[in-house]
Amino acid sequence: MEPTLTKRIAQVRDQLSAGGLRVVDFFARHPAEASVFSAQEIARRAEVSDATVIRTVKQLGFGGLGELRRAAAAVLNPVRDPEQTLADHLTRSDDGGRLLAKISLDAAELVQALPRSVPPETFEAAAATLAAAANTLVVGYGSALPVADSLALGLRRIGRIATVTGLTGYNFADELGQLRPDSALVLVAPLRHVREHDVAISEALRIGCPVVLITEMLASHFADRVDTVLVTPSTENSLPSGLVCQLLLVDALLLAVSAADPARALDGWKATNRLRTELVEGSLDVPLTPSIAAKISLPGNGTDGS
């Protein structure tokens, strides 16, 4: 078995220069960034030269930065057996009376970890890509499709052109055909790497279209081929699924894109609401009578139903 990044650092720490120590300390403290950053970005953050970064990577026994990235990603998201993961979750869920409390605490920990997992400059780069795109294609498969759909729908509602797809195989070619140099491609791929991802990235690279990846485990698979990687916290030891952080990340991206052009975002919502009103010839919502409002008001919220 290959030694982990942590073990490699421990084995060579005494042999490193002061600059090398700063580099390995950065790797140890920021594995999410180490799994996606270029040598130049790592050098800037560790306050050393690019050459020091490359030399340190070699001293750790890696053939290059790509191997180091995979080791850093493994620190964040070790390869897991889905069947074993489910078994572990069932063991932790044996007390049904406390299950909601347990899953809520786990979700809170994931949410707190999200800002550490996604550096501000990486988030800003992804938001800038979406804000600048003439149109966006969002791709998601399986459980990632609702996240992809949420992002595409949100973009459309703030006046952007966006399409979501979960098509595979031959039918996926039609979706990729809409990409242009001024488009953006977003891959929501938390855990599974499929051939469609590779073909989509290759096509985007061919035409010069920027690619944003939202993932939990696959940063090292794609980091060298995409523009921006947003790594969400590992859910290996958590009861909630990755949807918690992925949807929160989508909400943040939509707010950032809206802030880049507030007038366009507001006009988009106004247009949506105007069309809704025209389609139903009035309000979409059933008006609440005082008696109905009183029945659905929550205790202690200060609402008396009037």
Side-chain angles (χ1 to χ4, degrees):
M1 180 180 294
E2 286 290 323
T4 64
L5 176 59
T6 302
K7 288 182 178 179
R8 288 177 186 260
I9 291 173
Q11 290 168 356
V12 304
R13 177 175 285 276
D14 293 341
Q15 306 166 28
L16 297 174
S17 65
L21 287 172
R22 286 200 293 273
V23 172
V24 296
D25 284 345
F26 175 80
F27 291 158
R29 294 171 183 169
H30 307 285
E33 292 92 327
S35 69
V36 297
F37 275 8
S38 67
Q40 291 78 13
E41 290 170 322
I42 294 170
R44 181 177 62 82
R45 293 287 292 273
E47 298 182 343
V48 298
S49 66
D50 298 357
T52 298
V53 173
I54 299 302
R55 183 168 57 251
T56 305
V57 169
K58 297 289 186 180
Q59 287 178 284
L60 289 170
F62 296 111
L65 193 57
E67 289 185 14
L68 179 280
R69 285 171 171 165
R70 287 188 285 275
V75 171
L76 287 168
N77 303 299
V79 177
R80 68 183 87 159
D81 178 353
E83 182 178 345
Q84 184 59 48
T85 298
L86 176 59
D88 292 341
H89 285 181
L90 290 175
T91 300
R92 295 182 61 196
S93 308
D94 56 356
D95 183 359
R98 289 185 50 79
L99 181 56
L100 180 58
K102 288 180 180 179
I103 201 169
S104 298
L105 288 173
D106 279 0
E109 291 180 0
L110 288 173
V111 170
Q112 290 177 344
L114 183 59
R116 298 192 298 271
S117 185
V118 181
E121 58 268 31
T122 304
F123 175 83
E124 290 168 6
T129 295
L130 297 180
N135 67 293
T136 300
L137 174 63
V138 191
V139 180
Y141 298 113
S143 62
L145 183 56
V147 179
D149 187 46
S150 180
L151 177 57
L153 177 61
L155 287 171
R156 291 196 297 271
R157 285 180 172 172
I158 58 174
R160 308 286 173 158
I161 300 173
T163 306
V164 63
T165 183
L167 292 176
T168 61
Y170 186 84
N171 292 325
F172 189 44
D174 291 325
E175 305 295 334
L176 292 179
Q178 64 185 284
L179 292 177
R180 299 291 183 270
D182 58 356
S183 303
L185 171 65
V186 179
L187 301 179
V188 184
L191 305 174
R192 297 289 177 263
H193 180 173
V194 297
R195 180 171 177 77
E196 281 76 5
H197 295 146
D198 294 320
V199 174
I201 292 171
S202 295
E203 177 62 10
L205 287 172
R206 186 186 70 82
I207 64 177
C209 165
V211 183
V212 175
L213 171 69
I214 298 175
T215 188
E216 180 181 326
M217 290 185 64
L218 304 179
S220 61
H221 290 231
F222 301 111
D224 293 335
R225 294 180 288 154
V226 304
D227 297 270
T228 310
V229 182
L230 304 173
V231 182
T232 57
S234 173
T235 58
E236 182 184 18
N237 297 314
S238 300
L239 290 175
S241 73
L243 291 174
V244 172
C245 285
Q246 293 156 24
L247 289 172
L248 187 62
L249 183 58
V250 163
D251 279 348
L253 286 171
L254 292 172
L255 283 172
V257 174
S258 297
D261 192 343
R264 181 174 180 176
L266 290 172
D267 285 345
W269 269 109
K270 288 177 181 177
T272 298
N273 288 331
R274 175 180 56 79
L275 291 169
R276 286 173 171 175
T277 301
E278 291 177 3
L279 286 168
V280 300
E281 297 184 345
S283 174
L284 284 170
D285 300 316
V286 176
L288 296 180
T289 65
S291 59
I292 294 175
K295 289 179 181 178
I296 66 173
S297 61
L298 298 175
N301 69 356
T303 302
D304 60 7
S306 60

